Amino acid sequence: MTTRPDVTDDAVVNFDHHSDDFNLNQRTINAELRQKCPVAWNENYDGFWFLSSYDAVSQTARDDDTFSHKYEPNAANGIDYQGEMGVPRPEDQPALGIGEVDGPYHLALRHALAPFFSPGAVEKLKPFMEEKAHEFLDQKIADGRMDLVLDYASPVPAILTMKLMGLPYDNWHLYANVFHSVMAVPQDSPEYINAIAQVPAMMQGVLDFAAKRRADARDDLTSFLIQFEFDGQRLTDEQLLNIVWNLIGGGVDTTTSQTALTLLHLGTHPELRQQLIDHPELYRTATDEFLRYFSVNQQLSRTVTRDVVVNGQHLRKNDRLIISWLAANHDENEFEKADEVILNRSPNRHLAFGLGPHRCIGSHLARLMSEVMIKAVLDRIPDYRVDLDGVHRYRGNPSMTGLGTLPVTFTPGVQRG
């Protein structure tokens, strides 16, 4: 444990955010922290700050210069930049392509990629989303049973992401399975080790695909990135790979998790499900409410670049901190009845997509994809019943929440063809 003589006793905590106890009781622990010390010094893992209030999280998320995203260990300026992937950072994890860079390069990349993720570009993808959602429901609808994660919420976002990147669709299961396994199971499990073992070959596959696109550019994101220049230089293979990998990871499992958790909640709260079926005009606000409520990207880490005061606490240069989007999104000072799902909540200034310069670039895509997938299920199998004994929740991953499996039964229906 790492004690800090300049931190008052009431701000010192020592919960283990990687433990099952934290994972299973996170909202209760966050609520206690917001009351007691919204900027707390956690003595575990060599010491780090944990931010749980809407105000403290918003302040840090907006200020890239002071609270850096980048991953650059032992940088020349004397700061050990830890990146955004947690405390401690997972071993052997390369820098994320957009998530873990700051400054002009980050801004140039975002500006260049923005047209692919604009509301207009996303709206054009809606028919494809709907087609794929119904296609995967068709495969199981006559059976009267399916797994809404493995048979539905995992493949649909994966295929859409493949389409966006220009990658062949028939590889969707590779990407979906790897990202899903990495998130859904503990890091010492055989499934995790097996999934990680597949990553190098998949990364090589991305580079091989990029080489083809160099010779035969198309109208897709990979072709665009190959031609992108910053300061007169094309991206290196490493930069290109990190960006593509970041975009695939962001597109594949997060939307799966958001959709699965929403379907579980609607499946266990029949009055909410009926309200949404009866009032389809609520889909837009309901989607944002479920984004707020679950905050599947629960937390991210930052590195402090200069001495600064946040909520009365003195943070020092080189300190590490975790900002909890989940805790901020359940702050009673910002959201009335914060622990309830209110389908028509407005306003709803949730932070599920982050805030500031690093706000999720794919937010429009994720929002629409989740909305389309929920609506397709409620349209086609509105009476689905969840087999709660078969539901498997993510464990031991403090940065992500989601479901490994979501088995349901329903009145068999007919294929749409």
Side-chain angles (χ1 to χ4, degrees):
M1 291 193 179
T2 303
T3 54
R4 282 275 289 256
D6 56 342
V7 178
T8 55
D9 288 345
D10 61 349
V12 176
V13 295
N14 65 359
F15 61 85
D16 182 355
H17 61 304
H18 289 272
S19 68
D20 279 350
D21 180 60
F22 179 78
N23 211 295
L24 295 168
N25 302 292
Q26 193 169 167
R27 288 185 188 158
T28 304
I29 294 167
N30 285 337
E32 290 167 358
L33 288 170
R34 282 194 302 270
Q35 289 296 320
K36 178 188 166 198
C37 47
V39 178
W41 175 254
N42 192 322
E43 296 182 310
N44 284 306
Y45 301 105
D46 297 324
F48 63 96
W49 296 97
F50 190 90
L51 279 56
S52 56
S53 73
Y54 189 91
D55 285 347
V57 167
S58 300
Q59 178 188 337
T60 53
R62 283 194 180 98
D63 186 355
D64 264 22
D65 292 340
T66 308
F67 306 100
S68 175
H69 294 71
K70 74 177 170 182
Y71 177 54
E72 190 185 345
N74 308 308
N77 63 0
I79 297 174
D80 187 8
Y81 294 98
Q82 292 289 312
E84 63 170 28
M85 294 191 67
V87 177
R89 183 183 180 84
E91 286 182 33
D92 304 322
Q93 191 72 47
L96 291 174
I98 304 176
E100 294 191 321
V101 292
D102 279 326
Y105 173 56
H106 169 250
L107 290 175
L109 257 183
R110 281 189 68 101
H111 184 70
L113 290 171
F116 287 90
F117 296 99
S118 70
V122 167
E123 193 62 35
K124 285 180 186 164
L125 288 167
K126 188 176 181 181
F128 183 82
M129 293 181 201
E130 291 172 334
E131 177 194 328
K132 289 298 164 191
H134 288 288
E135 187 181 305
F136 279 91
L137 287 174
D138 273 348
Q139 289 180 17
K140 297 288 181 178
I141 198 153
D143 299 347
R145 63 178 61 248
M146 69 187 294
D147 189 308
L148 284 174
V149 172
L150 301 178
D151 300 326
Y152 183 65
S154 187
V156 177
I159 287 176
L160 184 78
T161 305
M162 300 297 97
K163 177 181 172 65
L164 198 64
M165 303 310 298
L167 290 158
Y169 302 166
D170 53 3
N171 273 352
W172 71 262
H173 56 278
L174 276 178
Y175 293 94
N177 292 349
V178 164
F179 282 100
H180 194 55
S181 299
V182 167
M183 295 299 180
V185 296
Q187 292 187 9
D188 56 359
S189 67
E191 297 98 318
Y192 180 89
I193 292 162
N194 178 51
I196 288 294
Q198 296 176 51
V199 169
M202 287 172 63
M203 286 184 155
Q204 187 58 49
V206 169
L207 286 176
D208 293 345
F209 173 74
K212 283 185 194 167
R213 282 293 192 258
R214 278 197 173 92
D216 179 22
R218 305 281 178 88
D219 186 22
D220 59 50
L221 207 41
T222 306
S223 299
F224 174 80
L225 286 167
I226 287 165
Q227 297 164 58
F228 171 75
E229 290 187 5
F230 178 69
D231 272 355
Q233 298 287 317
R234 293 273 172 101
L235 298 175
T236 64
D237 273 1
E238 184 183 13
Q239 286 174 316
L240 177 69
L241 182 59
N242 287 347
I243 293 165
V244 171
W245 201 248
N246 191 182
L247 291 171
I248 293 171
V252 171
D253 202 66
T254 47
T255 311
T256 296
S257 299
Q258 179 64 36
T259 304
L261 288 164
T262 301
L263 289 170
L264 173 62
H265 197 86
L266 291 171
T268 50
H269 294 76
E271 71 294 343
L272 279 181
R273 171 165 41 176
Q274 197 57 48
Q275 187 185 357
L276 199 48
I277 289 169
D278 293 342
H279 298 280
E281 71 275 10
L282 290 178
Y283 270 104
R284 185 54 53 88
T285 53
T287 301
D288 269 309
E289 177 66 343
F290 283 118
L291 283 161
R292 177 195 72 83
Y293 187 78
F294 293 117
S295 304
V296 296
N297 283 319
Q298 296 181 113
Q299 52 181 251
L300 290 173
S301 52
R302 301 281 186 271
T303 307
V304 183
T305 64
R306 62 179 179 85
D307 293 3
V308 64
V309 176
V310 181
N311 205 74
Q313 299 297 336
H314 291 263
L315 282 60
R316 294 187 202 154
K317 178 179 174 178
N318 247 328
D319 280 352
R320 299 172 301 167
L321 60 92
I322 284 178
I323 55 178
S324 174
W325 308 117
L326 178 68
N329 280 336
H330 284 260
D331 188 335
E332 305 79 357
N333 292 319
E334 174 65 25
F335 302 100
E336 193 177 340
K337 298 181 180 173
D339 287 334
E340 289 182 29
V341 170
I342 299 170
L343 296 182
N344 63 348
R345 185 183 292 277
S346 183
N348 186 353
R349 302 189 309 155
H350 67 77
L351 307 180
F353 292 122
L355 192 66
H358 275 262
R359 188 179 186 277
C360 173
I361 195 169
S363 61
H364 299 301
L365 187 66
R367 186 186 272 117
L368 183 62
M369 199 170 0
S370 187
E371 184 180 320
V372 162
M373 284 165 48
I374 299 300
K375 187 172 189 309
V377 168
L378 295 191
D379 285 351
R380 300 287 299 282
I381 51 170
D383 68 344
Y384 72 91
R385 297 172 297 284
V386 177
D387 170 12
L388 286 170
D389 290 338
V391 174
H392 171 252
R393 293 178 181 272
Y394 289 6
R395 299 287 282 274
N397 181 350
S399 63
M400 276 287 292
T401 184
L403 300 177
T405 51
L406 178 58
V408 298
T409 55
F410 48 87
T411 303
V414 291
Q415 293 184 349
R416 284 196 173 179

